[in-house]
Amino acid sequence: MNRLEQRMDVDCLWAERPPEREPTHLIVFNQDEHGYATTMAGSALISDSEPIGNFYSKLMNVPPTNFAPFHNWQESFRLYETRSKDGDRFFILKMPRVHDLDLSFHGLQNDHSWLYTYPVVRDIILILNQYGVNKLSYMTSNLFQLHKQYSHYGKLDHGHIATFDWMNSEEFVAEWFGDDYKESDFDYVFAPNVWVWCKLFCEFNVNPRLSEVILCRGDINQIDADSADSLLNHLTTEYNLNADEGALQTMTEQVTDSVTSRYVKLDLEDEQDFSDLGYEP
């Protein structure tokens, strides 16, 4: 059996065999977002599952180094499979990182975002078409609410979620608190990796039923466990998904250790000026 599928810019390698075709809801998230809310929520949904497939592309943002014997996973988008309590199938796509953005958006800043995002997203959608994927939810945090240039756009409070279905582009953004929602009075702004996924799903999926953003609060804290809980509450309520509390706790501890070590100051033998690098010893 051929485990490899290829499109123009993406290679898909299935772990064992391609999945059977049936109606499937795809959930996508970037695990490198500030606050790690989507990472923690995504880990609770994945639980202890192993990837059923990996997507590779020369257009992905992959660091040049790795480590041994404990190497990092950073070279592919990983696809997982789970079931809701009702038996409905969900795929969960975990992206280790996307291309960085300059939030100033001045001049030609970020002129690469469409170039590197569009081909990868298009090919993944085309590959998953044949296995019955017809719904998309992109989990993300409202990071633009932390940037003063976007202060006039929508902001979310703790415990709140916003959703928007790109298939109904003339409808309103819904702001949720628990099971209740209201029409938002504000517009929201989305990064390229978010809106491109949702827009292209509407265009390239053969039978799209849903193409939504699920947006949690953007928080200045390095670890935003509150927003992870808000995402999980919404997903488990709306789609009757299972959330593994043990996996959530484990990932919370892992990202906490990672962020703590990232900001530890080093003891340097010689006084050096690191100001140009944005680092103050």
Side-chain angles (χ1 to χ4, degrees), residues 229-241:
D229 289 338
S230 300
L231 286 169
L232 286 173
N233 179 68
H234 182 80
L235 288 164
T236 55
T237 300
E238 287 299 302
Y239 300 119
N240 213 15
L241 286 165

Side-chain angles (χ1 to χ4, degrees), residues 24-141:
T24 304
H25 191 151
L26 174 65
I27 297 176
V28 179
F29 70 95
N30 168 24
Q31 73 165 18
D32 199 35
E33 282 191 354
H34 178 88
Y36 297 101
T38 57
T39 300
M40 292 182 283
S43 296
L45 298 177
I46 293 169
S47 187
D48 58 355
S49 300
E50 293 295 325
I52 65 169
N54 288 272
F55 296 100
Y56 300 87
S57 175
K58 64 183 179 183
L59 300 176
M60 292 175 178
N61 183 13
V62 179
T65 58
N66 212 319
F67 307 92
F70 303 107
H71 64 273
N72 290 337
W73 153 70
Q74 53 194 2
E75 71 283 355
S76 67
F77 294 177
R78 289 188 168 186
L79 187 69
Y80 298 83
E81 180 179 351
T82 188
R83 297 274 176 177
S84 71
K85 295 176 183 177
D86 300 319
D88 298 323
R89 187 170 75 175
F90 285 75
F91 286 162
I92 302 174
L93 184 67
K94 179 167 66 172
M95 303 182 295
R97 59 194 296 154
V98 297
H99 290 278
D100 296 330
L101 293 176
D102 182 330
L103 292 183
S104 68
F105 286 92
H106 292 317
L108 295 178
Q109 298 289 354
N110 305 302
D111 59 351
H112 64 280
S113 59
W114 177 261
L115 175 66
Y116 294 123
T117 306
Y118 165 73
V120 174
V121 175
R122 175 203 63 206
D123 284 359
I124 292 176
I125 293 171
L126 291 175
I127 290 172
L128 294 180
N129 270 340
Q130 58 195 320
Y131 302 111
V133 171
N134 59 5
K135 294 180 181 179
L136 169 71
S137 296
Y138 193 111
M139 284 197 303
T140 187
S141 51

Side-chain angles (χ1 to χ4, degrees), residues 107-257:
L108 295 178
Q109 298 289 354
N110 305 302
D111 59 351
H112 64 280
S113 59
W114 177 261
L115 175 66
Y116 294 123
T117 306
Y118 165 73
V120 174
V121 175
R122 175 203 63 206
D123 284 359
I124 292 176
I125 293 171
L126 291 175
I127 290 172
L128 294 180
N129 270 340
Q130 58 195 320
Y131 302 111
V133 171
N134 59 5
K135 294 180 181 179
L136 169 71
S137 296
Y138 193 111
M139 284 197 303
T140 187
S141 51
N142 190 22
L143 299 180
F144 287 96
Q145 76 179 68
L146 305 176
H147 198 286
K148 62 182 180 181
Q149 182 174 337
Y150 302 94
S151 60
H152 57 290
Y153 286 93
K155 296 179 174 63
L156 293 170
D157 295 324
H158 282 291
H160 288 248
I161 292 292
T163 60
F164 180 72
D165 185 357
W166 286 77
M167 293 189 61
N168 301 303
S169 58
E170 296 181 359
E171 292 191 0
F172 56 86
V173 175
E175 293 182 356
W176 297 75
F177 185 74
D179 297 338
D180 298 323
Y181 73 87
K182 67 179 183 68
E183 180 177 346
S184 176
D185 297 325
F186 298 94
D187 294 337
Y188 282 81
V189 59
F190 300 107
N193 55 294
V194 179
W195 74 262
V196 172
W197 265 99
C198 293
K199 182 65 175 175
L200 293 187
F201 192 84
C202 296
E203 302 296 336
F204 286 95
N205 185 265
V206 294
N207 185 31
R209 301 294 182 87
L210 175 73
S211 184
E212 70 173 352
V213 178
I214 303 178
L215 191 69
C216 68
R217 182 180 189 273
D219 196 284
I220 60 173
N221 294 319
Q222 295 296 329
I223 306 296
D224 189 5
D226 179 80
S227 291
D229 289 338
S230 300
L231 286 169
L232 286 173
N233 179 68
H234 182 80
L235 288 164
T236 55
T237 300
E238 287 299 302
Y239 300 119
N240 213 15
L241 286 165
N242 296 289
D244 187 333
E245 292 295 331
L248 174 62
Q249 179 63 33
T250 298
M251 180 54 67
T252 303
E253 294 172 355
Q254 289 177 354
V255 296
T256 300
D257 291 342

